[in-house]
Amino acid sequence: MKIKQFLSFSDIGLDQSAIEEYREYQLVLAFGNRHLLEEEDIYSKLKSIFPQAEIVLSSTAGQILGPRYIRDGIVITAVKLEHSEVKAVAVKAEDYENSLGIGKDLLEKMPTENLKHIFILSDGQAINGSELVQGLYEGLPGNIGVTGGLAGDDARFEKTLVSLNGSDNKKLVVALGFYGERLKVTYGSQGGWTAFGPERLVTKSEKNVLYELDGQSALDLYKKYLGELSNELPGSALLFPLCIRTSDNNETLVRTILSVDEEDQSMTFAGNVPEGCYARLMKSNSESLIDGAHDAAEDCMLYDNKKAKPELSIMVSCIGRRIVLDQLVEEEVEEALRVLGSPPNTGFYSYGEICPILENSRPELHNQTMTITTFSEI
Amino acid sequence: MNRLLRRQLQRYNIDVEAVPESFKKLILDVNNSYFHSEKERQLIEHTMDISSQELAEANKQLRLRKQKLEQYNEELKQFSYITAHDLKEPLRTIGSFIRLVERREPNISEESKEFIQFAIDGAERMKDLLDDLLKYTLIDAPNQSKAELLDLNPIIELVCFNLNTKIEENNVMVIRDDLPRVVGDKSQLMLLFQNLIDNSIKFRNSDIPQIKIESIRNFKPGYTKLSVIDNGIGIESSFQTRVFDIFEKLHNINVYKGTGIGLAICKKIVEKYSGEIWIDQDYVDGLKLDFTLPITII
């Protein structure tokens, strides 16, 4: 596997032999601030250097390059698989009223022979993350892992961008299918948040829009806990994600806030918050989050009882973690990368992460986690 | 610069301006970390404050609710007692004057005589109902009972003595184990066994009705199990929980007399002492009624 990463186009180097080689690269991931991706014609520039590659652009809430957090700039990672293949398919998020159909349609477009893993890069606003993974799970041939993330829009929560191969539509859900017997993919997802306080019954909600907890306005509850930080909603609400538990099983899921509507006193989350389930606020601190990132990387390193040797890692971390870590944000990336053996690394801060909870189990939509996918060819 | 860090640097006489570049960067990093930690601590403190407030408020609400409930309970108990008690007086009046009519008019028709008898029977039934209802409401009434550790053997003796006429008339055989001591109020325990034995006699199914009273000590920690077993008509399994409901009668009033409150009274007495009462659904040779009572006063 060969990886080429750079931040700006002047960086790329004019070495003739390198340029020849770039023609054979099959996948290019470009993660950047939405405004930058909208302004420059990134796609054309990339196409001219990597004519054979599937080129995916995704807006983020912050980019990762190696051990560094990149606030401004577009992080470009180009991949040449030597014994494997990658194929990209996409659908338009806005074509679907119910995100359940997205997974099914994506899988239909994707050949399944020798399929090893699917990596999703999805619009972060127009889809319902819970429904998306449900739809993927239903059509999935057994034993295929699905990881990925929802695009971000900094802490603005206005509009995200995902495009494939210069598509006109910028609100896509892209599925990257990875194929090949010699391809090994591992993944891990951990949080570092703890729930506190009483369980509150979700008394009024509609899919991923929450109105009331225990008959009282959920927004008012958040404002109480945020105090002065209420002025920085919705971003500051990321400090207190919601931990939800349905009454029939004791499994819990974490939900991140996406937006707040003062008029109808509602809070929109990145996944469903069904009526009748119990919610608790969660909190964290930098140390716990860094430990979480460490644990996610540890999960990636165990593979078939052998130590994996990742050749490429993609880190999808939640914007909520970036808000808590603040200037310490690189510490979680550095720590995870150290555990992985420092392979070439890219990633972004997202509005939601996709990963199975256990190896080979169904994919779930997570929030507030550090979700890592590693690739290597054996 | 963070105050904590500044103090530490001063303690070791470190002049930030004079140190090498890499060391300056380290100090800057550490400074950032200190500020970051402070911010995190402040958020946690604020969170604790709000959490404590919520807890205090929830506590207050709970206390108020408890007060209201206790008040309501007292009112309800009073109401039940007064109702049962005060309804008896008008009933007595009805009964008396009907009998008076009967005595004063010896020449009324046979049919009318029959009507008068029905009226008197109705009044009698109502009186029985009110009496049992009163007993039922009194079980939980404050200051109406005293819990003490009692030997059940003399209690059963006394109950059989009170029911002696019925026992002799119907050729009933009452057998009992050597029964243990249990916690309860003497009159209430008497009422409990009286109702059960009375029922067994009433719902007999043989020329030699037999009632056995058995016990299993330490059936479960702190509790002893007692059983009243008869060879009577038994209770069909689908009714075995409903019979403990108040006013529940399984048979027509013409077949078996009764108010339908007897077993409800038994249940209330047993549950007053945190015991349980149930019918053994596997016993088919009559009725086996089990209940638990505590052996220590809590």
Side-chain angles (χ1 to χ4, degrees), chain B residues 166-266:
Chain B
K166 281 192 194 164
I167 290 177
E168 301 250 300
E169 266 175 11
N170 295 296
N171 213 11
V172 180
M173 203 160 61
V174 180
I175 311 162
R176 62 173 166 80
D177 278 358
D178 181 25
L179 299 172
R181 301 212 287 177
V182 295
V183 169
D185 170 271
K186 183 155 178 243
S187 327
Q188 286 179 359
L189 287 179
M190 276 189 61
L191 183 53
L192 167 63
F193 279 100
Q194 184 157 313
N195 278 353
L196 293 177
I197 294 174
D198 199 35
N199 272 357
S200 290
I201 299 174
K202 181 158 62 178
F203 295 106
R204 63 186 178 280
N205 192 25
S206 143
D207 293 330
I208 316 174
Q210 210 181 72
I211 305 175
K212 274 190 292 188
I213 304 175
E214 298 176 348
S215 68
I216 299 181
R217 290 159 207 254
N218 269 322
F219 171 72
K220 79 176 206 218
Y223 286 83
T224 217
K225 181 171 98 153
L226 296 144
S227 306
V228 176
I229 308 166
D230 68 36
N231 56 355
I233 65 172
I235 297 178
E236 206 189 293
S237 52
S238 53
F239 296 122
Q240 283 176 359
T241 31
R242 276 170 48 189
V243 283
F244 293 104
D245 290 343
I246 196 166
F247 294 135
E248 188 73 36
K249 280 163 62 65
L250 298 181
H251 305 279
N252 193 289
I253 188 78
N254 296 318
V255 184
Y256 289 104
K257 233 178 81 127
T259 57
I261 304 182
L263 282 178
I265 289 177
C266 294

Side-chain angles (χ1 to χ4, degrees), chain B residues 138-141 145 185 188 267-275:
Chain B
L138 280 174
I139 292 167
D140 266 342
S145 62
D185 170 271
Q188 286 179 359
K267 181 167 183 243
K268 208 154 199 251
I269 295 174
V270 164
E271 287 181 352
K272 186 181 159 93
Y273 299 102
S274 307

Side-chain angles (χ1 to χ4, degrees), chain A residues 197-205 210-218 221 242-248 273-281:
Chain A
E199 276 194 329
R200 303 165 206 264
L201 186 63
V202 177
T203 45
K204 184 169 175 223
S205 72
L210 175 66
Y211 295 93
E212 286 178 9
L213 289 166
D214 283 344
Q216 314 268 352
S217 157
L221 178 70
L242 222 54
C243 175
I244 57 173
R245 167 182 86 80
T246 47
S247 43
D248 34 331
V273 184
E275 274 179 10
C277 70
Y278 291 93
R280 285 176 87 190
L281 294 175

